[in-house]
Every structure is written in C-alpha cells, then in structure tokens.
Amino acid sequence: MSQMHNPPHPGHVLREWIPETMSVTEAAKALKISRVSLSKILNANSNISAEMAIRLSLWLGTSSELWLTMQAKYDLWQTQQKVKFDIKRLAA
C-alpha cells in the first residue's frame, strides 16, 4: 500500500458519490441502514466496516476492497500523526 499524504476519510469520498438530488435518508434506505449510521460515516465520525464496504460495493458498483483500503489508509495516516513509536527493528 503506497503512502498518501493526508488521505480523506472514506465518508467524505462517499459524499461525492451520492447524487445531489438524493437525501441522506434516501441513501440510507437504499443501503438498508439507519440515517444516523450513514450520517456518522459521511461526517467522518464512524469508520467503514467490512459489512458497510460490501453494502457500498453492491449499491455503487465498486469493489468492497476500495472502501476498506480507503479506510485503512486514512486510519494509518491518522495514527502516524498522533503516535510516535520508539521501537527498534528486530536484528536478524
């Protein structure tokens, strides 16, 4: 996985995929989840789970891996900004 500088939360990307004419409530109904759950994802307050990645892939015609990879890149970058590990490499 290549390193990206400050990758977006997948919820922000998802927001771009939802047609402007579609409400969050309508999108949530299409995904068969609650409006609150979708709103949390869209506002970057909740992560994309494996189950949600599958739902999104079926709804949008993408791969579930796309959404999980975005989430993993976002999580890694965020953690690298917050935590500095003082761990030495295992000597062979």
Side-chain angles (χ1 to χ4, degrees):
M1 212 180 310
S2 64
Q3 188 89 322
M4 182 186 238
H5 178 71
N6 196 10
H9 186 278
H12 294 161
V13 175
L14 176 57
R15 189 178 291 278
E16 300 294 321
W17 283 68
I18 298 173
E20 288 183 24
T21 58
M22 181 177 271
S23 70
V24 174
T25 301
E26 292 169 326
K29 282 182 184 177
L31 289 164
K32 301 194 183 303
I33 61 171
S34 73
R35 183 196 179 291
V36 171
S37 294
L38 182 56
S39 183
K40 285 181 179 180
I41 290 170
L42 294 174
N43 292 313
N45 293 323
S46 186
N47 292 340
I48 300 288
S49 66
E51 180 182 318
M52 181 55 68
I54 292 169
R55 289 174 187 268
L56 292 171
S57 70
L58 293 170
W59 188 50
L60 298 170
T62 62
S63 71
S64 51
E65 290 84 1
L66 170 78
W67 299 100
L68 290 176
T69 299
M70 270 193 270
Q71 186 66 59
K73 286 183 178 186
Y74 176 81
D75 290 345
L76 282 170
W77 195 87
Q78 293 295 317
T79 301
Q80 288 171 340
Q81 304 317 300
K82 295 180 205 170
V83 181
K84 300 301 176 199
F85 297 96
D86 185 24
I87 299 173
K88 299 192 185 332
R89 185 171 184 164
L90 177 65

